[in-house]
Amino acid sequence: MHKDQSMQRMHLGKGKERQKGNYFEERDQQPAQPNNSAKKGRLDAQAILLLIVHTLFGSANALSGTFVGVYLWKAKNDYALIGWFTLATHLTMAITFWLAGKWVKEHNKMNCLRIGVAISAVFYMLVLWLGANSFQYFVWLGIVQGISAGLFWVAFNVVYFEVTDPDNRDRFNGSVGLLGAGAGIIAPWISGLLIVSLGDIKGYRLIFSISLGIFLLGVVISFFLKKRKVQGTYEWMFPIRSLRKAETPWKRVSLALVFQGVREGVFGFMIALLVYISTSSEASLGNFVLITSAVSLVSFWAAGRFIKPRFRKVSMFIGAAMVVAIILPFFWKMGYSTLLVFGLGSALFFPMYSVPMVSAVFDLIGSTEESARQREEYIVLRELALNVGRVCGVLLFICVISWSKAPLVINVLLLIIGSSPLFSWYFMKKQLSVIKT
């Protein structure tokens, strides 16, 4: 889910300077109160509603999304097939972001969010309808999932930017992670138990059906979010034009986002798949997600509560270094125990990496009145960079796994891909030193 070339602090200023930079005009148009320090950093009603919609979306995906890769694997034991499914998803997501940017810039961005949630429901309807033949249509399923994710996230990120500010952005990000972890504690565990107790056909049909219902509930709740104001005209070539500027922090930030995406593209599906392959049990995978999500819940709460802007640089480095270090036990033995060590380590340290990253990028978008007016284009640029990284990571995975499936080769591949957060921190570190006060 963030122009300054120096290491100096960035101040919003007082008086006219502060008024000029106040781009949160959509927030009920209420005048600023002189003594509102007690409310500083709190989330308003719209931010809380957005958290609810995000939680429903995340819960539905946690319930079934964890098992989509397993579902395809059981139909056909093929790493490459799941890689191609993921590649189709990320490519489509990138294209959808770019195209939908015009929608959220010039039209009703809330409808974009709602349709994204609705298409997620369509994805699970298709999986239910195709059943055991789903693997034969993995490209088309990946495209549908990419469209749904692109529409939802481009609208969500724009609204997220509009309902938060530098004072409460870390808190919002921590809350997103905390609620997501809460959903992750319960949903996959229930899914695993249902699949094991009811059998593959009835179990998967039930959890996909429940996800469908949760997505529809998310659409209903989204109507309580206010229609956001629109202004300006969408610039189709803005990402290219922005990166061509001689002096812009977005060159560094975009590279950081690319490396962030490299890890996300592969680890997003590979770890759950390795857990299932090691245990041959959806219930064990559900227990794995339950345990790691419980730790993640606490970690995201702590990250949102204690990571202040001045601590972002150190926090992100520690988080990046540790999520690389916890891959090393795979070289000793690839099994449920080492995967659990990895999962617990990721749950504990990944928020230290991700919360500063997200907050700093969105602070950069809001650093000036001009960039805030072009928030939709900058969010599209952010997501395009992330998806470039995801696509590169998945392509590397497909190439290597097509050459060899030896355990050592897979472990080296995971270490290389998993080391990308350190490169992300390297390119991001200057921006992490820009502190808004």
Side-chain angles (χ1 to χ4, degrees):
M1 296 184 275
H2 318 248
K3 234 160 124 159
D4 193 287
Q5 305 297 321
S6 69
M7 302 289 286
Q8 299 175 353
R9 290 177 177 263
M10 178 180 289
H11 296 277
L12 293 180
K14 300 179 181 179
K16 291 183 178 180
E17 289 183 18
R18 181 171 292 276
Q19 292 174 6
K20 183 178 180 181
N22 183 18
Y23 47 82
F24 301 103
E25 69 278 4
E26 286 87 352
R27 293 183 157 194
D28 301 329
Q29 297 286 345
Q30 293 180 0
Q33 300 297 323
N35 296 313
N36 61 348
S37 58
K39 295 183 178 180
K40 188 175 181 180
R42 292 187 180 181
L43 302 178
D44 62 16
Q46 287 293 292
I48 293 171
L49 272 174
L50 188 64
L51 277 173
I52 293 172
V53 173
H54 178 277
T55 302
L56 289 171
F57 185 83
S59 297
N61 278 316
L63 190 67
S64 298
T66 305
F67 297 90
V68 169
V70 174
Y71 190 72
L72 294 173
W73 173 266
K74 294 181 77 169
K76 186 178 181 182
N77 295 2
D78 188 351
Y79 284 115
L81 181 145
I82 298 172
W84 286 113
F85 165 78
T86 307
L87 182 65
T89 297
H90 293 317
L91 281 173
T92 307
M93 193 191 309
I95 296 170
T96 302
F97 262 104
W98 183 61
L99 294 175
K102 184 176 180 65
W103 188 354
V104 298
K105 178 80 171 184
E106 301 178 12
H107 304 287
N108 191 338
K109 58 179 70 73
M110 298 313 303
N111 284 339
C112 181
L113 183 144
R114 292 174 189 123
I115 292 177
V117 177
I119 294 178
S120 290
V122 170
F123 170 79
Y124 288 104
M125 287 177 64
L126 288 172
V127 173
L128 284 170
W129 180 53
L130 293 171
N133 294 320
S134 295
F135 77 95
Q136 298 178 8
Y137 302 92
F138 65 90
V139 172
W140 294 107
L141 288 173
I143 289 172
V144 173
Q145 189 175 63
I147 292 172
S148 68
L151 292 175
F152 176 83
W153 287 113
V154 70
F156 175 87
N157 286 333
V158 172
V159 179
Y160 152 74
F161 174 83
E162 293 174 351
V163 302
T164 62
D165 56 40
D167 292 326
N168 63 11
R169 197 157 284 144
D170 288 317
R171 182 181 293 272
F172 185 94
N173 293 336
S175 298
V176 164
L178 188 150
L179 292 171
I185 290 175
I186 301 171
W189 178 70
I190 292 174
S191 296
L193 290 180
L194 289 174
I195 293 170
V196 171
S197 61
L198 298 178
D200 284 357
I201 297 177
K202 290 183 178 180
Y204 276 104
R205 185 176 296 276
L206 179 58
I207 65 167
F208 290 157
S209 298
I210 295 173
S211 291
L212 193 156
I214 296 175
F215 281 126
L216 295 178
L217 177 61
V219 172
V220 173
I221 297 295
S222 70
F223 281 98
F224 291 94
L225 284 164
K226 295 179 181 178
K227 182 179 179 180
R228 316 300 299 179
K229 289 186 176 181
V230 295
Q231 60 180 8
T233 303
Y234 183 63
E235 294 187 41
W236 291 101
M237 294 294 107
F238 180 85
I240 296 175
R241 183 172 66 81
S242 180
L243 294 177
R244 281 180 175 176
K245 292 180 180 179
E247 298 293 331
T248 174
W250 280 100
K251 290 181 179 179
R252 300 190 311 268
V253 171
S254 295
L255 284 171
L257 289 166
V258 167
F259 281 105
Q260 179 185 350
V262 168
R263 184 186 187 276
E264 290 180 0
V266 175
F267 280 62
F269 70 89
M270 191 61 180
I271 299 303
L273 187 57
L274 287 173
V275 172
Y276 175 76
I277 293 172
S278 298
T279 62
S280 300
S281 170
E282 285 90 350
S284 296
L285 176 55
N287 290 334
F288 173 88
V289 178
L290 183 151
I291 296 168
T292 56
S293 294
V295 176
S296 185
L297 186 147
V298 177
S299 299
F300 269 107
W301 172 82
R305 180 72 175 82
F306 298 111
I307 297 178
K308 305 301 181 183
R310 63 183 179 273
F311 301 138
R312 286 176 182 172
K313 186 175 180 180
V314 173
S315 172
M316 187 175 173
F317 174 75
I318 295 173
M322 292 307 298
V323 297
V324 176
I326 56 178
I327 300 173
L328 297 177
F330 289 166
F331 289 89
W332 170 58
K333 179 183 179 183
M334 176 63 79
Y336 184 78
S337 57
T338 49
L339 285 164
L340 186 58
V341 169
F342 170 84
L344 292 171
S346 294
L348 184 62
F349 294 106
F350 190 76
M352 297 180 66
Y353 162 80
S354 64
V355 169
M357 180 75 178
V358 174
S359 297
V361 172
F362 278 89
D363 283 355
L364 177 59
I365 295 174
S367 60
T368 68
E369 187 177 11
E370 179 185 0
S371 62
R373 283 199 304 266
Q374 294 180 304
R375 53 189 173 270
E376 293 86 359
E377 286 88 348
Y378 277 115
I379 286 170
V380 169
L381 170 58
R382 172 186 182 267
E383 294 299 332
L384 287 176
L386 279 170
N387 279 289
V388 166
R390 291 165 183 157
V391 167
C392 290
V394 175
L395 280 175
L396 176 61
F397 171 82
I398 292 172
C399 290
V400 172
I401 215 71
S402 299
W403 167 63
S404 174
K405 298 179 180 64
L408 179 60
V409 172
I410 294 177
N411 290 340
V412 171
L413 175 63
L414 291 175
L415 180 61
I416 292 173
I417 292 174
S419 297
S420 61
L422 285 174
F423 293 94
S424 183
W425 172 84
Y426 174 80
F427 288 109
M428 198 69 193
K429 61 182 181 179
K430 288 186 178 180
Q431 196 58 40
L432 294 168
S433 299
V434 179
I435 303 173
K436 280 182 169 283
T437 58

